[in-house]
Amino acid sequence: MKKRQFLFLRDALLYTLSAFGGPQAHIAIMLREFVQKRKYITEEELMELNALAQVLPGPSSTQTLVGIAWKVGGLWLAITTFLIWVLPSAAIMCAAAISYKIFADRGKLTDILRFIQPMAVGIVAYATYTFANRFLKTRVSTMLAIGSLIATLILQNAYAFPILILLGGIISSALETQPQESELRIKLFSNVNPNKVAYFIGVLLAFAALGALINRTSPFSLPIRLFENFYRNGIMIFGGGQVLVPLMYTEFVEVKHYLSSAEFLSGYALQQALPGPTFCFTSFLGGVTMGNQGYGIGGQVIGSLIAVIGINTPGLILILFIVPFWDDLKKITRIKNSLNGINAVAVGFMATALILLTRPFGLDWMAYLIMIATFLLLQFTKIKTPIVIVIGVVLGLIF
């Protein structure tokens, strides 16, 4: 194994332990740690992977990180990185599900989050400013960013994300491409390995068929039904972790009554205080659901595993299927030009997230000051994002 790949795994672990704040904050940390500091990929490649993850169903932060790992070291590094990224948070959430009463009193967690949340918003502000400064170079890209911002604020629907991404790409491609490149399409399809395409599509379809089959043939088996629930949601969820929570709450609390509202919100509060992917919140849901049905500690561990595997598998398969020939796709001028529009729309998404995240602040001027201070620290100093988060934790413990 190359030294560069060892270093990447080390940096992936450090990133996992410091990635607070959700998908939009995660991309800001990736920008600093994997692009600006280590130069594993370029800023353009990071934005392309992030845009690709936004248009695919599944966990966007996980898909972006796995895509970076693929570019650095191929399939084995991508899978290893996925495990490093998912396992720590999933294990903690599983333990929380097993000993739920320990975490029932969220008072201290709330105090800590009081400082971490505005800092996370400051990280989002830093990412939004950086990407806007980089990609909003033309009137078309600026208008696409503003349009996506307005549309997502009005619609606030999971399916607005992929639709706007596609529209941005189509508009940019139509306005910037000269009509003379059919030969590049031929070159693309001659470079794509059809066996690899068939393999990834076959695996995806096999998992989909398995989820449907076992759900029909074993209607009274809770573990099987849980797998189907999580796998189905893994296919349906666009936009990352911010979409996961309302969908999971509706299905698991209001419709199927697998767990109570208090249990759900307690687990979600804990997840917000942890680094790593928001999708690992499902580990808590699976564990508590199995516990509430009397399966015992062993059953709760199985429930957590089922949840994490089910929710992540569709998105992982999709990103591993597309990334290997993404460089070939970019050789088509229309697709290359469409990335300008996709990146502009992604900037609009970041701005939307920034606005929505500041709403809970209300008239809390201290939260705004913490957010602004975080932005200024990242923009004008060399202080790393993990240090900023540690400062927030310390402030929460002290005050």
Side-chain angles (χ1 to χ4, degrees):
M1 181 170 30
K2 297 180 180 178
K3 180 180 178 181
R4 177 178 172 82
Q5 295 170 0
F6 271 121
L7 289 175
F8 180 83
L9 290 177
R10 182 201 66 183
D11 291 336
L13 177 60
L14 294 175
Y15 165 71
T16 297
L17 299 177
S18 60
F20 292 88
Q24 301 302 336
H26 292 169
I27 196 67
I29 301 173
M30 290 183 196
L31 173 66
R32 283 182 67 106
E33 300 302 320
F34 295 115
V35 176
Q36 297 174 348
K37 181 180 177 181
R38 294 293 184 184
K39 304 187 186 303
Y40 290 116
I41 59 173
T42 65
E43 188 172 321
E44 290 80 3
E45 288 175 318
L46 176 62
M47 284 300 296
E48 290 168 7
L49 287 171
N50 183 57
L52 178 61
Q54 291 292 336
V55 80
L56 295 176
S60 56
S61 295
T62 301
Q63 290 170 316
T64 303
L65 181 61
V66 168
I68 296 172
W70 181 285
K71 286 180 172 292
V72 174
L75 178 61
W76 80 266
L77 190 67
I79 294 176
T80 304
T81 301
F82 168 76
L83 295 175
I84 289 174
W85 168 241
V86 168
L87 288 178
S89 184
I92 293 174
M93 295 306 292
C94 177
I98 293 172
S99 53
Y100 166 72
K101 291 186 183 298
I102 298 177
F103 299 95
D105 183 4
R106 296 176 289 138
K108 200 59 183 178
L109 283 176
T110 302
D111 291 339
I112 295 174
L113 289 173
R114 184 162 53 94
F115 291 93
I116 289 182
Q117 286 179 341
M119 286 183 168
V121 178
I123 295 172
V124 174
Y126 169 75
T128 304
Y129 172 81
T130 301
F131 291 147
N133 190 53
R134 174 65 176 169
F135 292 106
L136 303 188
K137 298 291 187 180
T138 66
R139 183 177 181 181
V140 171
S141 62
T142 302
M143 293 304 295
L144 285 173
I146 295 173
S148 68
L149 167 63
I150 296 173
T152 49
L153 283 175
I154 294 174
L155 297 175
Q156 293 191 27
N157 185 290
Y159 296 100
F161 291 95
I163 292 172
L164 290 171
I165 284 281
L166 290 174
L167 285 177
I170 291 171
I171 293 172
S172 180
S173 176
L175 294 178
E176 298 182 10
T177 304
Q178 299 298 322
Q180 80 257 7
E181 50 181 58
S182 58
E183 73 283 354
L184 287 179
R185 292 191 183 92
I186 296 174
K187 181 178 180 182
L188 166 69
F189 291 107
S190 65
N191 288 339
V192 174
N193 185 335
N195 293 329
K196 185 179 293 185
V197 174
Y199 170 76
F200 282 106
I201 292 178
V203 172
L204 181 61
L205 293 177
F207 270 97
L210 175 62
L213 179 63
I214 60 179
N215 186 49
R216 289 197 304 267
T217 58
S218 303
F220 302 106
S221 175
L222 181 59
I224 294 175
R225 284 183 282 126
L226 279 178
F227 175 81
E228 190 277 331
N229 292 159
F230 286 112
Y231 186 83
R232 171 169 39 82
N233 279 283
I235 295 175
M236 293 175 55
I237 292 174
F238 290 87
Q242 65 268 36
V243 181
L244 171 71
V245 173
L247 288 180
M248 291 286 99
Y249 184 86
T250 300
E251 179 168 358
F252 280 69
V253 178
E254 297 185 353
V255 176
K256 297 183 177 178
H257 307 291
Y258 284 153
L259 67 167
S260 69
S261 177
E263 289 170 332
F264 186 97
L265 294 175
S266 295
Y268 180 60
L270 174 61
Q271 177 63 56
Q272 294 300 293
L274 295 177
T278 305
F279 270 49
C280 283
F281 174 48
T282 58
S283 176
F284 182 86
L285 297 182
V288 170
T289 298
M290 294 288 282
N292 286 345
Q293 299 300 317
Y295 278 80
I297 293 178
Q300 289 185 282
V301 173
I302 292 174
S304 293
L305 287 173
I306 288 173
V308 173
I309 293 172
I311 200 74
N312 282 288
T313 297
L316 182 63
I317 292 174
L318 283 171
I319 197 70
L320 291 177
F321 162 60
I322 292 176
V323 167
F325 55 88
W326 181 240
D327 287 337
D328 289 320
L329 285 171
K330 292 189 298 181
K331 293 177 183 177
I332 299 179
T333 305
R334 285 192 179 277
I335 292 179
K336 183 177 181 180
N337 289 340
S338 72
L339 294 176
N340 296 329
I342 290 173
N343 287 332
V345 170
V347 171
F349 290 164
M350 291 181 179
T352 300
L354 180 61
I355 293 172
L356 295 178
L357 287 170
T358 57
R359 282 183 178 178
F361 293 170
L363 299 178
D364 185 358
W365 59 270
M366 180 62 70
Y368 290 105
L369 287 178
I370 294 172
M371 178 189 71
I372 295 171
T374 301
F375 173 85
L376 294 175
L377 283 174
L378 294 175
Q379 179 66 24
F380 297 108
T381 73
K382 295 183 178 181
I383 297 177
K384 298 179 181 179
T385 303
I387 302 301
V388 175
I389 295 298
V390 169
I391 293 173
V393 172
V394 172
L395 289 175
L397 292 173
I398 295 175
F399 297 103

